[in-house]
Amino acid sequence: MKNLRTQHTLHIELHGSEPAIWRRIEVDGSMTLERFHEVLQGALGWTNSHLHLYMDSNPFIRGQVAAGEKPTTWLMAGSIEDGLEGEDEAGTTLTQALARSGGTLWYEYDLGDSWMHLITEESSRALDPEDPEARVLDGALRVPLEDSGGLGGWYEMLKLAQAASADPDRSYILDWFRAHFGYFTPVDPEAFDAGAANMRVRLLLGGMPEGTATGKWLSTLPVYGRLMLAEFLYAMGIDVFASPATTPMPEEAPRAMASILWWINACDGTGLPLTAAGYLSPSVLPEVIEGIGWEHEDFVQFGGKTEVHLHGILDFREMLMDIGLLKAQGKKLVATPAALRAAQDPAKLWAHLAKRARNSARDKVTYDATMLALMAASGAGDADRKTIEARTNEGMRLLEYVHRDGRRIEDKDFNRLGDRYVSITKAFRMAVLKNGNKGRAVGLERAFALAVLRS
């Protein structure tokens, strides 16, 4: 028997696929077959939603084994409890199983559709302690959509999808196929990315991406949603296991932050006067409106005389206090030390805004909707607010949200991005657009959403 601390290089092929759907991986042989299942799911791109088993001999000729030989099947504990005959996969390591099978294993996933995989050992060597527990080296093509009826059903769907016009008698198949396409869940039969596969493996082996705020959020999600959304983030260039990073500012960011800088500079030194109730003194409101350049804000034409009536100004000021740039000190509004440091470097101010833009963890529903909206806002395309809302609600459906009465989540049900983010991006729009309340600075807001996700 090989040393239990052996690293195996394995070739995995979805049996019967043409062209071949395959992966090449390196894996620590001391892991149990139960844990190896997680590696296979991540490497191949399955969703870990069905039963599975392993066999040490070809299942298509198992009835032809020689006298005295007894094929071995390794089963999930639940399958054994249900009365199926075989060994517990948790009691055998990968190295042991390969030794017993002569270097080949068969892995069946989803005992209904019966996705059968041939696992072949290509080489082995002593495990390097510096190597990851499992690593995807290469591969080709994505695996079929689950529950598509096996390879025959999958290939029929692909053929229908590529046809100029669908056969009316098969239109329901195409409808089912298209229903699995989504903004967060694109389906590209030609796609394979080793980096994305390795990320899935790491997630399924228990790696919690908690280095960034986005990673911490993913760690709160069910496994399926975590995998799908982490892969979407990966496609946008966001490594969910990375440490917090500062996204480079777009060229227009300094101009977009000009009104925030005005507040900081105006509140340096003696600060701006506050009333006994904590509002800005009416005497300084004209100065504030002119200083931040919001003369074109809708409220000005209505002749508001106090901050409590000027909701845009009030929300802006309270947001800056909420994120630690301004504070009340006696009856003065003053800049914080953090604000004064950030004011000296636009990149530091940009990073501070991104890090503090999230305030939605107050309840799980709002938290999830806000993070999905950030992802929708940072994705490709000049999406308007309606599109972002639709994408957000698609994500909520992906996370299996429904109404309390069981009704489906519709495209307008969730539309919040969080108060801080809304206020910050409004300040950006007011600075860079002629009428900030009537448009959207798409590139700038996308860059900022990405910065928030990476913070």
Side-chain angles (χ1 to χ4, degrees):
M1 182 181 296
K2 295 179 181 178
N3 188 314
L4 292 182
R5 301 294 288 177
T6 298
Q7 185 177 69
H8 302 277
T9 300
L10 305 175
H11 183 275
I12 303 135
E13 183 173 329
L14 181 59
H15 181 72
S17 59
E18 182 59 45
I21 299 170
W22 64 273
R23 304 289 184 267
R24 178 171 289 109
I25 67 173
E26 288 182 341
V27 61
D28 179 354
S30 68
M31 70 171 57
T32 65
L33 292 179
E34 180 182 44
R35 188 163 176 80
F36 181 50
H37 159 73
E38 307 287 354
V39 175
L40 291 170
Q41 290 287 301
L44 289 156
W46 297 117
T47 65
N48 209 14
S49 304
H50 297 280
L51 301 177
H52 68 273
L53 55 80
Y54 298 91
M55 291 166 281
D56 68 349
S57 59
N58 189 333
F60 302 103
I61 58 172
R62 293 195 96 192
Q64 306 173 26
V65 296
E69 292 184 2
K70 185 177 181 181
T72 301
T73 300
W74 290 273
L75 299 169
M76 304 168 64
S79 297
I80 295 174
E81 292 172 1
D82 289 340
L84 296 182
E85 294 186 5
E87 298 184 17
D88 187 343
E89 64 178 3
T92 301
T93 68
L94 174 60
T95 296
Q96 290 169 335
L98 288 169
R100 286 170 60 175
S101 67
T104 60
L105 291 170
W106 291 82
Y107 169 74
E108 182 177 7
Y109 172 63
D110 186 351
L111 309 189
D113 279 356
S114 188
W115 305 109
M116 196 71 72
H117 308 76
L118 174 60
I119 302 170
T120 306
E121 181 178 32
E122 294 185 331
S123 63
S124 62
R125 59 181 173 84
L127 180 72
D128 184 339
E130 299 299 318
D131 285 339
E133 189 176 11
R135 174 168 52 198
V136 180
L137 303 176
D138 200 0
L141 307 182
R142 70 153 288 153
V143 291
L145 286 173
E146 299 196 19
D147 302 314
S148 57
L151 280 169
W154 172 244
Y155 288 138
E156 182 177 7
M157 289 180 185
L158 293 181
K159 183 177 179 180
L160 286 171
Q162 295 166 359
S165 60
D167 180 346
D169 294 334
R170 293 289 184 268
S171 61
Y172 70 95
I173 297 176
L174 194 55
D175 290 342
W176 184 92
F177 181 62
R178 289 171 175 166
H180 286 72
F181 284 81
Y183 180 68
F184 298 108
T185 54
V187 179
D188 179 1
E190 304 295 321
F192 168 74
D193 188 293
N198 279 304
M199 178 198 63
R200 291 192 302 265
V201 168
R202 188 171 175 184
L203 286 169
L204 285 168
L205 288 179
M208 286 293 106
E210 297 184 343
T212 62
T214 300
K216 291 177 183 176
W217 169 63
L218 288 175
S219 299
T220 70
L221 302 180
V223 172
Y224 176 71
R226 185 185 310 156
L227 288 170
M228 297 299 102
L229 294 174
E231 190 160 353
F232 175 84
L233 288 163
Y234 175 87
M236 290 201 302
I238 298 177
D239 180 357
V240 299
F241 289 103
S243 299
T246 300
T247 301
M249 294 188 305
E251 290 184 4
E252 58 188 340
R255 182 163 65 95
M257 296 186 294
S259 58
I260 296 172
L261 280 168
W262 183 90
W263 280 102
I264 295 172
N265 293 326
C267 293
D268 189 10
T270 58
L272 295 175
L274 297 172
T275 67
Y279 295 107
L280 283 173
S281 171
S283 64
V284 299
L285 285 174
E287 174 190 350
V288 170
I289 293 171
E290 181 182 3
I292 63 176
W294 282 25
E295 296 93 340
H296 58 287
E297 169 67 300
D298 290 342
F299 57 66
V300 175
Q301 64 179 304
F302 299 117
K305 301 299 184 183
T306 64
E307 190 187 27
V308 73
H309 296 113
L310 303 179
H311 301 297
I313 297 292
L314 178 60
D315 291 344
F316 194 2
R317 191 258 301 171
E318 288 186 336
M319 177 274 293
L320 294 174
M321 296 179 71
D322 198 27
I323 66 172
L325 293 178
L326 304 179
K327 66 179 180 179
Q329 187 169 289
K331 290 187 178 181
K332 296 287 185 179
L333 183 67
V334 300
T336 65
L340 295 174
R341 289 192 298 270
Q344 304 305 311
D345 183 347
K348 285 184 178 179
L349 181 56
W350 174 262
H352 181 94
L353 294 172
K355 185 176 180 180
R356 299 295 298 274
R358 227 184 256 98
N359 67 339
S360 58
R362 294 168 298 195
D363 67 85
K364 188 68 168 66
V365 177
T366 304
Y367 185 30
D368 289 344
T370 297
M371 295 303 298
L372 289 163
L374 285 168
M375 292 172 65
S378 62
D382 295 343
D384 57 19
R385 183 59 52 199
K386 182 178 179 181
T387 301
I388 291 175
E389 288 179 11
R391 292 173 177 176
T392 301
N393 286 284
E394 177 193 320
M396 295 298 274
R397 293 190 291 271
L398 174 67
L399 297 182
E400 300 182 353
Y401 275 96
V402 294
H403 288 284
R404 291 183 179 179
D405 59 4
R407 286 183 297 111
R408 180 181 184 270
I409 297 298
E410 300 297 336
D411 284 354
K412 295 182 180 180
D413 287 347
F414 293 94
N415 58 11
R416 290 180 62 82
L417 280 85
D419 297 339
R420 293 179 183 175
Y421 181 88
V422 168
S423 294
I424 292 170
T425 52
K426 177 182 177 181
F428 290 168
R429 290 193 300 273
M430 296 292 282
V432 301
L433 301 179
K434 291 183 177 180
N435 189 340
N437 268 340
K438 303 300 182 183
R440 181 170 173 246
V442 177
L444 180 65
E445 292 183 47
R446 178 181 298 129
F448 187 64
L450 281 169
V452 176
L453 291 169
R454 288 193 173 108
S455 64

